[in-house]
Amino acid sequence: MAVNAATRPRSRLGRVEFTTLLAFSMSLAALGIDIMLPAFGAIRSDLGLPSDSTRVAGTVTTYFLGLALGQIFYGPVSDRFGRKPALYVGYGIYLFGAIAAAVAPDLGFMLVVRFVWGLGAAGPRVVTLSVVRDRFEGEAMSRAMSFIMAVFILVPVMAPSVGALILTVASWRWVFGFCAGAAAVMALWASRLAESLHPDHRMELRFKRVMAAGRTVVSHRQTLGYTLALTALMGVFTSYLASSEIIFGEVFGIVAGFPLVFGGLAAVMGAAMLTNAGLVRRIGTRRMAHGVLVGYVAMSAVFTVVVVATAGRPSLSVFLVGLAVMLSAYGLLLPNLNTIAMQPMAAVAGTAAAVIGTISTAVGAGIGFLLDRSFDGTVIPLTVGFAGLGLVALSCVVWAEKGVLFGPLGSWSVR
């Protein structure tokens, strides 16, 4: 069912500014991770950890857990009070968490405040998905998500280099200070964003009502199946983010050049997201998602065979090509799987975004943590994760579609 143009909330922003604002707001979550990756070595040194310690990767895992659990709060709140109040609560907690992490005296304290920081980052993520669902339907929603995520991916491209630049003139603590400043800037910019929650969709903030909306989400076969597929893919993607610094450093000897390599791979992913918008227009969201997922599973299997055949230490060029293929697939899958999962949930968009985000992020972070712990000085655990979890994702999609792939995206919604 399409959104009626007469009842759709008016925006004070043009399409470009609207898309860019949502993208950068959502990207605060990524900024809290990617900008600190070059600082891992300095953090280890300053906090008295061994130079090869993987414990600092816990700052990524706890952040993801906060990001996951926080969404449970923001979803119902945004469905009751509106998108902008929830957004500003998130900005405030994010700002506090970044400042607290910047003055952390030890790793234990940092892990706690990184969790709080993640709670703040959950707000912009939920609100972005909710606003897009409020404003768009079907293929238009998928195209909007593609543009937002393509702009969003600029953060992983630029953030490591920005972090490395800050480290040349200041301590790692100022890296976190930069994130606090970014949250303050976004809070000012977001004052131009119009409230998008339609009055008819405001939900009472009662436990039974919230639970009923949550049950609507998890009992819908399409939404649940695609959420579980996103969860599997997020598991290995989380592991890649948390372990990339130590993999490139220990396996391939790339330390100083890490921000450039990481940013280049993120740019490949961003280019795929930009391409997705045009492909969806011609092919359709569901056909696009299914075709890419099947190809992803096949290519990840080939990648794993090559890595195992080289005892987990392929040449750098081979590894980069394999990663580029995997991340390109992610660039094509993430906006489309999110769109298909959210499509039936117009009446409970905030809660749906929260449930989808919580499951995919929390369980994904746990899977990523297990993959991080299995690092053995090779890239075998990561590539096996790509293949195995890709197969899990495909199985979830097949279940959601009752065994029939490549159909058109439906337009029905839960009301």
Side-chain angles (χ1 to χ4, degrees), residues 15-38:
R15 178 177 291 271
V16 173
E17 185 180 359
F18 173 79
T19 301
T20 306
L21 169 58
L22 289 182
F24 277 107
S25 185
M26 187 174 179
S27 70
L28 283 176
L31 182 69
I33 298 171
D34 300 319
I35 198 171
M36 70 175 291
L37 296 179

Side-chain angles (χ1 to χ4, degrees), residues 21 39 56 73 76 82 94 107 120 128 162 173-174 184 270 274-275 283 302-303 337 347 363 396 398 405:
L21 169 58
V56 73
F73 166 78
Y94 185 102
L107 183 62
T128 295
V162 172
R173 298 180 186 275
W174 284 100
L274 280 175
T275 303
I283 300 173
V302 173
F303 190 25
L337 296 184
V363 179
C396 292
V398 170
L405 299 182

